[in-house]
Coordinates of all heavy atoms in Angstrom, one line a residue:
M13 N -7.0 0.8 14.8 CA -6.4 1.6 15.8 C -6.6 3.1 15.4 O -6.7 3.9 16.2 CB -4.9 1.3 15.9 CG -4.8 -0.1 16.6 SD -3.1 -0.7 16.9 CE -2.0 0.4 16.2
M14 N -6.6 3.4 14.1 CA -6.7 4.7 13.6 C -8.1 5.1 13.2 O -8.4 6.2 12.8 CB -5.8 5.0 12.4 CG -4.3 4.9 12.8 SD -3.2 5.1 11.4 CE -3.7 6.6 10.7
N15 N -9.0 4.1 13.4 CA -10.4 4.3 13.1 C -10.6 4.7 11.6 O -11.3 5.6 11.2 CB -11.1 5.4 14.0 CG -12.6 5.3 14.0 OD1 -13.1 4.2 13.7 ND2 -13.2 6.3 14.4
V16 N -9.9 3.9 10.7 CA -10.0 4.1 9.3 C -10.4 2.8 8.6 O -9.9 1.7 8.9 CB -8.6 4.5 8.7 CG1 -8.6 4.6 7.2 CG2 -8.2 5.8 9.3
L17 N -11.4 2.9 7.7 CA -11.8 1.8 6.9 C -10.9 1.6 5.8 O -10.7 2.5 5.0 CB -13.2 1.9 6.4 CG -14.4 1.9 7.4 CD1 -15.7 2.2 6.7 CD2 -14.4 0.5 8.0
N18 N -10.2 0.5 5.7 CA -9.2 0.3 4.7 C -9.5 -0.9 3.9 O -9.4 -2.1 4.3 CB -7.8 0.2 5.3 CG -6.7 0.1 4.2 OD1 -7.0 0.2 3.1 ND2 -5.5 -0.1 4.7
F19 N -10.0 -0.7 2.6 CA -10.2 -1.9 1.8 C -9.0 -2.1 0.8 O -9.1 -3.0 0.0 CB -11.5 -1.6 0.9 CG -12.7 -2.1 1.6 CD1 -13.0 -1.8 2.9 CD2 -13.6 -2.8 0.9 CE1 -14.1 -2.3 3.5 CE2 -14.8 -3.3 1.5 CZ -15.0 -3.0 2.8
A20 N -8.0 -1.4 0.9 CA -6.8 -1.5 0.1 C -5.7 -2.4 0.7 O -4.7 -2.5 0.1 CB -6.3 -0.2 -0.3
H21 N -6.0 -3.0 1.8 CA -5.0 -3.8 2.5 C -4.5 -5.0 1.7 O -3.3 -5.3 1.6 CB -5.4 -4.2 3.9 CG -6.6 -5.0 4.0 ND1 -7.9 -4.4 4.0 CD2 -6.8 -6.3 4.0 CE1 -8.8 -5.4 4.0 NE2 -8.2 -6.5 4.0
A22 N -5.4 -5.7 1.0 CA -5.1 -6.8 0.2 C -4.2 -6.4 -1.0 O -3.3 -7.1 -1.4 CB -6.3 -7.6 -0.2
A23 N -4.6 -5.2 -1.6 CA -3.8 -4.7 -2.7 C -2.4 -4.3 -2.2 O -1.4 -4.5 -3.0 CB -4.5 -3.5 -3.3
M24 N -2.2 -3.8 -1.0 CA -0.9 -3.5 -0.5 C -0.1 -4.8 -0.3 O 1.1 -4.8 -0.5 CB -1.0 -2.8 0.9 CG -1.5 -1.4 0.7 SD -0.3 -0.3 -0.1 CE -1.1 1.3 0.2
Y25 N -0.7 -5.9 0.2 CA 0.0 -7.2 0.3 C 0.4 -7.6 -1.1 O 1.5 -8.1 -1.2 CB -0.9 -8.2 0.9 CG -1.2 -8.0 2.4 CD1 -2.4 -8.2 3.0 CD2 -0.1 -7.7 3.3 CE1 -2.7 -8.0 4.3 CE2 -0.4 -7.6 4.6 CZ -1.6 -7.7 5.1 OH -1.8 -7.6 6.5
M26 N -0.4 -7.5 -2.0 CA -0.1 -7.9 -3.4 C 1.1 -7.1 -3.9 O 2.0 -7.6 -4.6 CB -1.3 -7.7 -4.3 CG -1.0 -8.1 -5.7 SD -2.3 -7.7 -6.8 CE -2.3 -5.9 -6.8
L27 N 1.1 -5.8 -3.6 CA 2.1 -4.9 -4.0 C 3.5 -5.3 -3.4 O 4.5 -5.3 -4.0 CB 1.8 -3.4 -3.7 CG 2.5 -2.3 -4.4 CD1 2.3 -2.4 -5.9 CD2 2.0 -1.0 -3.8
G28 N 3.4 -5.7 -2.1 CA 4.6 -6.2 -1.4 C 5.1 -7.4 -2.0 O 6.4 -7.6 -2.2
A29 N 4.3 -8.3 -2.4 CA 4.7 -9.6 -3.0 C 5.3 -9.3 -4.4 O 6.3 -9.9 -4.8 CB 3.5 -10.5 -3.2
Y30 N 4.7 -8.4 -5.1 CA 5.3 -8.0 -6.4 C 6.7 -7.4 -6.3 O 7.6 -7.7 -7.1 CB 4.4 -7.1 -7.2 CG 4.9 -6.6 -8.5 CD1 5.0 -7.5 -9.6 CD2 5.4 -5.4 -8.7 CE1 5.5 -7.1 -10.8 CE2 5.9 -4.9 -9.9 CZ 6.0 -5.8 -10.9 OH 6.5 -5.4 -12.1
F31 N 6.8 -6.4 -5.4 CA 8.1 -5.8 -5.1 C 9.2 -6.8 -4.7 O 10.3 -6.8 -5.1 CB 8.0 -4.7 -4.1 CG 7.4 -3.5 -4.6 CD1 6.7 -2.6 -3.7 CD2 7.4 -3.1 -5.9 CE1 6.2 -1.4 -4.1 CE2 6.8 -1.9 -6.4 CZ 6.2 -1.1 -5.5
S32 N 8.8 -7.8 -3.9 CA 9.7 -8.8 -3.4 C 10.1 -9.7 -4.6 O 11.3 -10.0 -4.7 CB 9.0 -9.6 -2.3 OG 9.9 -10.6 -1.9
Y33 N 9.2 -10.1 -5.4 CA 9.5 -10.9 -6.6 C 10.4 -10.1 -7.5 O 11.4 -10.7 -8.0 CB 8.2 -11.3 -7.3 CG 8.4 -12.0 -8.5 CD1 8.7 -13.4 -8.5 CD2 8.2 -11.4 -9.8 CE1 8.9 -14.0 -9.7 CE2 8.4 -12.0 -10.9 CZ 8.7 -13.4 -10.9 OH 8.9 -14.1 -12.1
S34 N 10.1 -8.8 -7.7 CA 10.9 -8.0 -8.7 C 12.3 -7.8 -8.1 O 13.3 -8.0 -8.9 CB 10.3 -6.7 -8.9 OG 9.0 -6.8 -9.5
I35 N 12.5 -7.5 -6.9 CA 13.8 -7.3 -6.3 C 14.6 -8.6 -6.3 O 15.8 -8.6 -6.7 CB 13.7 -6.7 -4.9 CG1 13.2 -5.3 -5.0 CG2 15.1 -6.8 -4.2 CD1 12.9 -4.7 -3.6
M36 N 13.9 -9.7 -6.0 CA 14.7 -11.0 -5.9 C 15.1 -11.5 -7.2 O 16.2 -11.9 -7.4 CB 13.8 -12.0 -5.2 CG 14.5 -13.3 -4.9 SD 13.5 -14.5 -4.1 CE 12.2 -14.9 -5.3
L37 N 14.2 -11.5 -8.2 CA 14.6 -12.1 -9.5 C 15.2 -11.2 -10.5 O 16.1 -11.6 -11.2 CB 13.3 -12.7 -10.1 CG 12.8 -14.0 -9.4 CD1 11.6 -14.5 -10.1 CD2 13.8 -15.0 -9.3
R38 N 14.8 -9.9 -10.5 CA 15.3 -9.1 -11.6 C 16.5 -8.3 -11.2 O 17.4 -8.1 -12.0 CB 14.2 -8.1 -11.9 CG 13.0 -8.7 -12.6 CD 12.0 -7.7 -13.1 NE 10.9 -8.3 -13.6 CZ 9.8 -7.7 -13.9 NH1 9.7 -6.4 -13.8 NH2 8.8 -8.3 -14.4
F39 N 16.6 -7.9 -9.9 CA 17.7 -7.0 -9.6 C 18.9 -7.6 -8.9 O 20.0 -7.5 -9.3 CB 17.2 -5.8 -8.8 CG 16.2 -4.9 -9.5 CD1 14.9 -4.8 -9.0 CD2 16.5 -4.3 -10.6 CE1 13.9 -4.1 -9.7 CE2 15.6 -3.5 -11.3 CZ 14.3 -3.4 -10.9
T40 N 18.6 -8.3 -7.8 CA 19.6 -8.8 -7.0 C 19.8 -10.4 -6.9 O 20.8 -10.9 -6.8 CB 19.5 -8.4 -5.5 OG1 18.3 -8.9 -4.9 CG2 19.5 -6.9 -5.4
G41 N 18.6 -11.0 -7.0 CA 18.7 -12.5 -6.9 C 18.8 -13.0 -5.5 O 19.0 -14.2 -5.2
Q42 N 18.7 -12.1 -4.5 CA 18.8 -12.5 -3.1 C 17.5 -12.4 -2.4 O 16.9 -11.3 -2.3 CB 19.8 -11.7 -2.4 CG 21.2 -11.9 -3.0 CD 22.2 -11.0 -2.3 OE1 21.9 -10.3 -1.3 NE2 23.5 -11.1 -2.7
L43 N 17.0 -13.5 -1.8 CA 15.7 -13.5 -1.1 C 15.8 -12.6 0.2 O 14.8 -11.9 0.4 CB 15.3 -14.9 -0.7 CG 14.1 -15.1 0.1 CD1 12.9 -14.6 -0.6 CD2 13.9 -16.5 0.6
W44 N 16.8 -12.7 0.9 CA 16.9 -12.0 2.2 C 16.9 -10.5 2.0 O 16.4 -9.8 2.8 CB 18.1 -12.5 3.0 CG 17.9 -13.9 3.4 CD1 18.6 -15.0 2.9 CD2 16.9 -14.5 4.3 NE1 18.2 -16.2 3.5 CE2 17.1 -15.9 4.4 CE3 15.9 -13.9 5.1 CZ2 16.3 -16.7 5.1 CZ3 15.2 -14.8 5.9 CH2 15.4 -16.1 5.9
L45 N 17.6 -10.1 1.0 CA 17.6 -8.6 0.7 C 16.2 -8.1 0.4 O 15.8 -7.1 0.8 CB 18.6 -8.3 -0.4 CG 18.7 -6.9 -0.8 CD1 19.3 -6.1 0.4 CD2 19.6 -6.7 -2.0
S46 N 15.5 -8.9 -0.4 CA 14.1 -8.5 -0.8 C 13.2 -8.5 0.4 O 12.3 -7.7 0.5 CB 13.6 -9.4 -1.9 OG 13.3 -10.7 -1.4
L47 N 13.4 -9.4 1.3 CA 12.6 -9.5 2.6 C 12.9 -8.3 3.5 O 12.1 -8.0 4.4 CB 12.8 -10.8 3.3 CG 12.2 -12.0 2.6 CD1 12.5 -13.3 3.3 CD2 10.7 -11.9 2.4
L48 N 14.1 -7.7 3.4 CA 14.4 -6.6 4.2 C 14.0 -5.3 3.5 O 13.6 -4.3 4.2 CB 15.9 -6.6 4.5 CG 16.4 -7.6 5.4 CD1 17.9 -7.6 5.4 CD2 15.8 -7.5 6.8
V49 N 14.1 -5.2 2.2 CA 13.8 -3.9 1.5 C 12.3 -3.7 1.3 O 11.8 -2.6 1.5 CB 14.5 -3.9 0.2 CG1 14.1 -2.7 -0.7 CG2 16.0 -3.9 0.4
C50 N 11.5 -4.7 1.0 CA 10.1 -4.6 0.7 C 9.3 -4.0 1.8 O 8.4 -3.2 1.5 CB 9.5 -5.9 0.2 SG 10.2 -6.3 -1.5
P51 N 9.4 -4.4 3.1 CA 8.6 -3.8 4.1 C 8.9 -2.3 4.2 O 8.0 -1.5 4.5 CB 9.0 -4.5 5.4 CG 9.5 -5.9 4.9 CD 10.1 -5.6 3.6
I52 N 10.2 -1.9 4.0 CA 10.5 -0.5 4.0 C 9.8 0.3 2.9 O 9.2 1.4 3.1 CB 12.0 -0.3 4.0 CG1 12.7 -0.9 5.2 CG2 12.4 1.2 3.9 CD1 14.2 -1.1 5.2
I53 N 9.8 -0.3 1.7 CA 9.1 0.3 0.6 C 7.6 0.5 0.9 O 7.0 1.5 0.7 CB 9.4 -0.5 -0.7 CG1 10.8 -0.4 -1.1 CG2 8.5 0.0 -1.8 CD1 11.2 -1.3 -2.2
L54 N 7.0 -0.6 1.4 CA 5.6 -0.5 1.7 C 5.3 0.4 2.9 O 4.2 1.0 2.9 CB 5.0 -1.9 2.0 CG 4.9 -2.8 0.7 CD1 4.5 -4.2 1.1 CD2 4.0 -2.2 -0.3
F55 N 6.2 0.5 3.8 CA 6.0 1.5 4.9 C 5.9 2.9 4.4 O 5.1 3.7 4.8 CB 7.1 1.3 5.9 CG 7.0 2.3 7.1 CD1 6.1 2.1 8.1 CD2 7.9 3.4 7.1 CE1 6.0 3.0 9.1 CE2 7.8 4.3 8.1 CZ 6.9 4.1 9.1
V56 N 6.8 3.2 3.4 CA 6.8 4.5 2.8 C 5.6 4.7 2.0 O 4.9 5.8 2.1 CB 8.1 4.7 1.9 CG1 8.0 5.9 1.1 CG2 9.3 4.7 2.8
I57 N 5.1 3.8 1.2 CA 3.9 3.9 0.4 C 2.7 4.1 1.3 O 1.8 4.9 1.1 CB 3.7 2.7 -0.5 CG1 4.8 2.7 -1.6 CG2 2.3 2.7 -1.2 CD1 4.8 1.5 -2.5
G58 N 2.6 3.3 2.4 CA 1.5 3.4 3.3 C 1.5 4.7 4.0 O 0.4 5.3 4.3
G59 N 2.7 5.2 4.4 CA 2.8 6.5 5.1 C 2.4 7.6 4.2 O 1.7 8.6 4.6
L60 N 2.8 7.6 2.9 CA 2.4 8.6 2.0 C 0.9 8.6 1.7 O 0.3 9.6 1.6 CB 3.2 8.5 0.7 CG 4.7 8.8 0.8 CD1 5.4 8.4 -0.5 CD2 4.9 10.2 1.1
T61 N 0.4 7.4 1.6 CA -1.1 7.2 1.4 C -1.9 7.8 2.6 O -2.8 8.6 2.4 CB -1.5 5.8 1.2 OG1 -0.8 5.2 0.1 CG2 -2.9 5.6 1.0
E62 N -1.4 7.5 3.8 CA -2.1 8.1 4.9 C -1.9 9.6 5.0 O -2.9 10.3 5.3 CB -1.6 7.4 6.2 CG -2.4 7.7 7.4 CD -2.1 8.9 8.2 OE1 -0.9 9.3 8.1 OE2 -3.0 9.5 8.8
R63 N -0.8 10.1 4.8 CA -0.5 11.5 4.9 C -1.2 12.4 3.9 O -1.8 13.4 4.2 CB 1.1 11.7 4.8 CG 1.5 13.1 4.7 CD 1.3 13.9 6.0 NE 1.8 15.2 6.0 CZ 1.1 16.3 5.6 NH1 -0.2 16.2 5.3 NH2 1.7 17.5 5.6
F64 N -1.2 11.9 2.6 CA -1.7 12.8 1.6 C -3.1 12.4 1.1 O -3.8 13.3 0.5 CB -0.8 12.8 0.4 CG 0.5 13.4 0.7 CD1 1.7 12.7 0.7 CD2 0.6 14.8 0.9 CE1 2.9 13.3 1.0 CE2 1.8 15.4 1.1 CZ 3.0 14.6 1.2
L65 N -3.6 11.3 1.4 CA -4.9 10.9 1.0 C -5.9 10.7 2.1 O -7.0 11.3 2.1 CB -4.9 9.6 0.1 CG -4.1 9.7 -1.2 CD1 -4.0 8.3 -1.9 CD2 -4.7 10.7 -2.1
L66 N -5.6 9.8 3.1 CA -6.5 9.5 4.1 C -6.8 10.6 5.1 O -7.9 10.8 5.6 CB -6.1 8.2 4.8 CG -6.3 7.0 4.1 CD1 -5.6 5.8 4.8 CD2 -7.8 6.7 3.8
R67 N -5.8 11.4 5.4 CA -6.0 12.6 6.3 C -7.0 13.6 5.7 O -7.7 14.2 6.5 CB -4.7 13.3 6.6 CG -3.8 12.6 7.6 CD -2.7 13.4 8.0 NE -1.7 12.6 8.8 CZ -0.6 13.1 9.3 NH1 -0.3 14.3 9.0 NH2 0.2 12.3 10.0
R68 N -7.0 13.7 4.4 CA -7.9 14.7 3.8 C -9.4 14.2 3.9 O -10.3 15.0 4.0 CB -7.6 14.9 2.4 CG -6.3 15.6 2.2 CD -6.0 15.9 0.8 NE -4.7 16.6 0.7 CZ -4.2 17.2 -0.4 NH1 -5.0 17.2 -1.5 NH2 -3.1 17.8 -0.4
V69 N -9.6 12.9 3.8 CA -11.0 12.5 3.8 C -11.5 11.9 5.2 O -12.7 11.7 5.3 CB -11.2 11.4 2.7 CG1 -11.0 11.9 1.4 CG2 -10.4 10.1 3.0
H70 N -10.6 11.8 6.1 CA -11.0 11.3 7.5 C -12.0 12.2 8.1 O -12.9 11.7 8.9 CB -9.7 11.2 8.3 CG -10.0 10.5 9.7 ND1 -10.4 9.2 9.7 CD2 -10.0 11.0 10.9 CE1 -10.6 8.9 11.0 NE2 -10.3 10.0 11.8
A71 N -12.0 13.5 7.9 CA -12.9 14.4 8.6 C -14.3 14.2 8.0 O -15.3 14.6 8.7 CB -12.5 15.8 8.4
Y72 N -14.5 13.7 6.8 CA -15.8 13.5 6.2 C -16.6 12.3 6.6 O -17.7 12.1 6.2 CB -15.7 13.6 4.7 CG -15.1 15.0 4.2 CD1 -13.9 15.0 3.6 CD2 -15.8 16.1 4.4 CE1 -13.3 16.2 3.2 CE2 -15.3 17.4 4.0 CZ -14.0 17.4 3.4 OH -13.5 18.6 3.0
G73 N -15.9 11.3 7.2 CA -16.6 10.1 7.7 C -16.1 8.9 7.0 O -15.2 8.9 6.2
H74 N -16.7 7.8 7.4 CA -16.3 6.4 6.9 C -16.6 6.1 5.5 O -15.9 5.4 4.8 CB -16.8 5.4 7.8 CG -16.3 5.4 9.2 ND1 -14.9 5.2 9.4 CD2 -16.9 5.5 10.4 CE1 -14.7 5.2 10.7 NE2 -15.9 5.4 11.3
V75 N -17.7 6.7 5.0 CA -18.1 6.4 3.6 C -17.0 6.9 2.6 O -16.6 6.2 1.7 CB -19.4 7.0 3.3 CG1 -19.8 6.8 1.8 CG2 -20.5 6.4 4.1
Q76 N -16.5 8.1 2.8 CA -15.5 8.7 2.0 C -14.2 7.9 2.1 O -13.4 7.7 1.1 CB -15.2 10.1 2.3 CG -16.3 11.0 1.7 CD -17.6 11.0 2.5 OE1 -17.6 10.5 3.6 NE2 -18.7 11.5 1.9
E77 N -13.8 7.4 3.3 CA -12.6 6.6 3.5 C -12.8 5.3 2.7 O -11.8 4.8 2.1 CB -12.4 6.3 5.0 CG -12.0 7.5 5.8 CD -11.9 7.2 7.2 OE1 -12.3 6.1 7.6 OE2 -11.5 8.1 8.0
L78 N -14.0 4.7 2.8 CA -14.2 3.5 2.1 C -14.1 3.6 0.6 O -13.5 2.8 -0.1 CB -15.6 3.0 2.5 CG -16.1 1.7 1.8 CD1 -15.4 0.5 2.3 CD2 -17.6 1.5 2.0
L79 N -14.7 4.7 0.1 CA -14.6 4.9 -1.4 C -13.1 5.2 -1.8 O -12.7 4.7 -2.9 CB -15.5 6.1 -1.8 CG -17.0 5.9 -1.7 CD1 -17.7 7.2 -1.9 CD2 -17.4 4.8 -2.7
L80 N -12.4 5.9 -1.0 CA -11.0 6.2 -1.3 C -10.2 5.0 -1.4 O -9.4 4.7 -2.3 CB -10.4 7.2 -0.4 CG -8.9 7.5 -0.6 CD1 -8.7 8.4 -1.8 CD2 -8.3 8.2 0.6
T81 N -10.3 4.2 -0.3 CA -9.4 2.9 -0.3 C -9.9 1.9 -1.3 O -9.1 1.2 -1.8 CB -9.4 2.4 1.2 OG1 -10.7 2.1 1.6 CG2 -8.7 3.3 2.1
F82 N -11.2 1.9 -1.6 CA -11.7 0.9 -2.6 C -11.1 1.3 -3.9 O -10.7 0.5 -4.7 CB -13.2 0.9 -2.6 CG -13.8 -0.3 -3.2 CD1 -13.6 -1.5 -2.6 CD2 -14.5 -0.2 -4.4 CE1 -14.2 -2.6 -3.2 CE2 -15.1 -1.3 -4.9 CZ -14.9 -2.5 -4.4
G83 N -11.1 2.6 -4.2 CA -10.6 3.1 -5.5 C -9.1 2.9 -5.5 O -8.5 2.6 -6.6
L84 N -8.4 3.1 -4.4 CA -7.0 2.9 -4.4 C -6.6 1.4 -4.7 O -5.7 1.1 -5.3 CB -6.4 3.3 -3.0 CG -4.9 3.3 -2.8 CD1 -4.3 4.3 -3.8 CD2 -4.6 3.7 -1.4
A85 N -7.5 0.5 -4.1 CA -7.3 -0.9 -4.4 C -7.4 -1.2 -5.9 O -6.7 -2.0 -6.5 CB -8.2 -1.8 -3.6
Y86 N -8.4 -0.6 -6.5 CA -8.6 -0.8 -8.0 C -7.4 -0.2 -8.7 O -6.9 -0.9 -9.7 CB -9.8 -0.1 -8.5 CG -11.1 -0.9 -8.4 CD1 -12.2 -0.4 -7.9 CD2 -11.1 -2.2 -8.8 CE1 -13.4 -1.1 -7.8 CE2 -12.2 -3.0 -8.7 CZ -13.4 -2.4 -8.3 OH -14.5 -3.2 -8.2
I87 N -6.9 0.9 -8.4 CA -5.7 1.5 -9.0 C -4.5 0.6 -8.9 O -3.8 0.4 -9.9 CB -5.5 2.9 -8.5 CG1 -6.6 3.9 -9.0 CG2 -4.1 3.4 -9.0 CD1 -6.5 5.2 -8.3
I88 N -4.2 0.1 -7.7 CA -3.1 -0.7 -7.5 C -3.2 -2.0 -8.3 O -2.2 -2.5 -8.9 CB -2.9 -1.0 -6.0 CG1 -2.4 0.3 -5.3 CG2 -1.9 -2.1 -5.7 CD1 -2.4 0.1 -3.7
T89 N -4.4 -2.6 -8.3 CA -4.6 -3.8 -9.0 C -4.4 -3.6 -10.5 O -3.8 -4.5 -11.2 CB -6.0 -4.4 -8.7 OG1 -6.2 -4.5 -7.3 CG2 -6.3 -5.7 -9.4
E90 N -4.9 -2.5 -11.0 CA -4.7 -2.3 -12.5 C -3.3 -2.0 -12.9 O -2.9 -2.2 -14.0 CB -5.7 -1.2 -12.9 CG -7.2 -1.6 -12.9 CD -7.4 -2.8 -13.8 OE1 -6.9 -2.8 -15.0 OE2 -8.2 -3.7 -13.4
L91 N -2.6 -1.3 -12.0 CA -1.2 -1.0 -12.3 C -0.4 -2.3 -12.4 O 0.5 -2.5 -13.1 CB -0.6 -0.1 -11.3 CG -1.1 1.3 -11.4 CD1 -0.5 2.2 -10.2 CD2 -0.7 2.0 -12.7

């Protein structure tokens, strides 16, 4: 819809699963709370990524978007 090549979407799903696991087991122990909080956290992370990273490279074309999101996926995976 935004005409952006995003190769980091799987890494974002993984990040959401990790946050859900962390909130559920380490902090609260409640599944429903983690299912409510994690989408909000990922919405903020996705919004910040789009605002500060993808907007800067969108004017240069799809190759730069692909490289940025591919690198972002590597960074998220390694963290």
Side-chain angles (χ1 to χ4, degrees):
M13 290 181 353
M14 293 176 56
N15 200 19
V16 172
L17 289 174
N18 186 5
F19 269 47
H21 59 275
M24 290 289 190
Y25 287 136
M26 180 189 67
L27 198 59
Y30 177 73
F31 285 153
S32 179
Y33 176 77
S34 295
I35 290 173
M36 184 177 68
L37 289 180
R38 292 184 185 172
F39 298 117
T40 64
Q42 297 180 1
L43 174 67
W44 296 108
L45 181 63
S46 69
L47 291 177
L48 291 173
V49 172
C50 288
I52 296 169
I53 293 171
L54 286 177
F55 177 76
V56 170
I57 291 172
L60 291 173
T61 301
E62 193 274 330
R63 171 67 175 97
F64 292 110
L65 297 176
L66 285 172
R67 281 189 189 178
R68 292 183 180 192
V69 298
H70 185 68
Y72 298 114
H74 290 301
V75 175
Q76 284 76 13
E77 291 173 353
L78 176 70
L79 289 173
L80 175 73
T81 56
F82 201 66
L84 188 62
Y86 273 136
I87 290 171
I88 290 172
T89 303
E90 290 298 320
L91 287 177

